[in-house]
Amino acid sequence: LPLNLNLPEGSHADVLITLIHKLLTRTQDRLSSIYNILLTILTNISPYIIKINLDASTKIIDLFRIFATRKMLFKRPENHLYLIAIIDAINYIIHYQYQGAHALVYMIMRQRRSFELLQALTLTKKTAETVSKEKAAATSVSTTTSTTTATATATATTTEESK
């Protein structure tokens, strides 16, 4: 992965946040299978970040803005979990290390419109119908798979018993 790392001044946490941001934003969904892992790492280290610089704060808020858009939230069924992980990380940094989180608080205040838009987000009837259809399709696929598996198991059992 050519990421052209220009590592920021600051702590290891600042470097890790910058790296996670670059992996999530510059790989065009090629690494979507590990988004959960990367954001879990971010959430798990966040209570231990003693001081966060402005660059890393900007990156976390940028991730929030990306995952808080309507398009991203409804792109995949698990994307809302990514947003929750980012919000949890922000919350933990502020809650446990407020003295060192001035830059993050500053960025939240500068980007408060993004937080307000998320708060005002509603599920339109059309979006709800689309989500319901996708869930129904996923359920029917899993039901068909379960039925096929059960049928294959029953057939194999019957074949063994007849021998």
Side-chain angles (χ1 to χ4, degrees), residues 10-67:
S11 68
H12 290 102
D14 296 328
V15 173
L16 185 60
I17 290 167
T18 302
L19 180 62
I20 289 172
H21 178 268
K22 286 184 180 187
L23 286 171
L24 292 177
T25 59
R26 295 188 180 172
T27 57
Q28 291 95 22
D29 288 340
R30 289 181 300 203
L31 297 178
S32 62
S33 60
I34 64 168
Y35 282 5
N36 187 34
I37 296 166
L38 294 171
L39 292 171
T40 300
I41 291 169
L42 178 64
T43 304
N44 287 339
I45 68 159
S46 60
Y48 305 102
I49 297 174
I50 296 171
K51 186 174 182 184
I52 185 169
N53 69 18
L54 185 60
D55 186 45
S57 299
T58 303
K59 303 287 189 209
I60 288 178
I61 298 302
D62 188 43
L63 287 175
F64 170 82
R65 289 178 56 226
I66 291 168
F67 282 98

Side-chain angles (χ1 to χ4, degrees), residues 126-146:
K126 182 179 178 182
T127 306
E129 289 173 359
T130 304
V131 170
S132 296
K133 286 179 185 177
E134 288 175 0
K135 284 183 181 178
T139 304
S140 68
V141 168
S142 66
T143 303
T144 304
T145 305
S146 298

